[in-house]
Amino acid sequence: MKYRYIFLLFALFSLASCTSWFVERTPEYILWRVHGLNVENTEHWVYAFEDQWCPNGDGTSKIKMKVALADEQIAHLISTGAKPLPVPDGTISEQAWLEGELGIDLDSVSDGVYLYKPGNPDLSFECSFLLYDKATKMLYYYVNIM
């Protein structure tokens, strides 16, 4: 009898672990977990989402989403280090490559905020980037870790 309860608890724990692992890999969860942006209850459209990670922790996430962020959410991004647009020249290494990955011309966006964190200086493509364009209400997120 005791072993049945142990087996049942183990089975429930395994099921809960697997279920939560699959649920967490949504664009909404990633934005909430990484940047504290709760877009779950806000009308939004995900135009692109790629999420590929290796067991060793290397990988890439890309999100392109249309969402009307509230002023409080933009203020939150600023409090975590986001800066107002436009992006000054020379701020982002490999800017043309990043623009190609996200499908946006950074020089054409002038109203909103961005957050850029370079990664390992030896790996020019390793970075974390978030951009919110107020005019088009488009949010772009990209992270690459090697």
Side-chain angles (χ1 to χ4, degrees), residues 32-97:
W32 174 78
R33 183 83 171 143
V34 176
H35 294 288
L37 291 176
N38 185 359
V39 298
E40 194 72 32
N41 297 324
T42 306
E43 189 173 348
H44 63 280
W45 296 270
V46 177
Y47 290 104
F49 175 56
E50 293 179 30
D51 195 44
Q52 300 176 356
W53 293 91
C54 297
N56 68 355
D58 292 354
T60 302
S61 283
K62 285 190 262 187
I63 300 170
K64 183 177 179 181
M65 174 187 293
K66 184 166 188 146
V67 60
L69 291 182
D71 291 336
E72 296 83 28
Q73 292 173 308
I74 295 172
H76 170 73
L77 286 174
I78 292 170
S79 73
T80 62
K83 296 179 172 78
L85 289 169
V87 178
D89 289 336
T91 301
I92 300 175
S93 60
E94 305 296 335
Q95 181 172 331
W97 175 80

Side-chain angles (χ1 to χ4, degrees), residues 2 6 23 70 79 99 114 119:
K2 179 180 173 182
I6 291 173
V23 171
S79 73
E99 289 174 335
Y114 75 97

Side-chain angles (χ1 to χ4, degrees), residues 16-17 26 53 87 90 103 106-108 110 120 124 128-129 135 146:
S17 296
T26 65
W53 293 91
V87 178
L106 295 178
D107 295 330
S108 69
S110 61
N120 184 343
S124 60
S128 174
F129 182 74
M146 299 176 149

